[in-house]
Amino acid sequence: GHEMMETLKNDCMLALGSIVFVLLSLRLHTQSTVLSFLSLLMILLSLPVAYVLTPLGKTSIVTFLSLFLIVGIGSDVVFVFTDFWDQSVEQACLQRVGEQQQRQQQ
């Protein structure tokens, strides 16, 4: 009993540490504290939905390990979307410069 609770406590601390690491990585990549917190909140709110959709009889220890997988994939999606956003701004600026150069040539 005691060893199991101690192991569970240590595992929860490791999970918390990984979530803090992901939050800091999101903050560095997005350069927005609000976007980082809301992204992580959105990722973590997917866990209860996944738990509800999983039949109780099929819940195992592997199901609880999915926390790391969901946080990893979710944060990767945020990284990809913010990169697309940054690239779209650059692309729009280049397109405007090109249109302006075409007007000047006419």
Side-chain angles (χ1 to χ4, degrees):
H2 176 68
E3 291 177 14
M4 188 170 150
M5 289 305 289
E6 197 66 31
T7 302
L8 184 60
K9 180 181 160 187
N10 289 337
D11 289 348
C12 287
M13 293 304 291
L14 288 172
L16 182 64
S18 68
I19 289 172
V20 168
F21 177 77
V22 168
L23 181 63
L24 292 175
S25 298
L26 284 168
R27 172 63 181 97
L28 287 173
H29 188 77
T30 62
Q31 299 176 349
S32 169
T33 304
V34 173
L35 184 60
S36 301
F37 275 108
L38 291 178
S39 298
L40 189 60
L41 178 67
M42 180 184 66
I43 293 165
L44 293 177
L45 285 177
S46 70
L47 292 172
V49 174
Y51 184 74
V52 167
L53 294 177
T54 304
L56 192 57
K58 296 191 178 200
T59 304
S60 67
I61 195 71
V62 176
T63 306
F64 296 106
L65 292 175
S66 66
L67 167 72
F68 298 103
L69 186 64
I70 289 172
V71 169
I73 292 172
S75 59
D76 185 55
V77 168
V78 173
F79 294 148
V80 169
F81 282 161
T82 54
D83 284 345
F84 280 157
W85 180 266
D86 291 341
Q87 289 174 7
S88 71
V89 171
E90 292 172 11
Q91 184 67 27
C93 289
L94 289 174
Q95 187 176 5
R96 279 181 282 191
V97 168
E99 290 171 358
Q100 191 174 27
Q101 285 177 349
Q102 285 178 350
R103 283 188 220 134
Q104 288 176 353
Q105 289 175 356
Q106 292 175 355

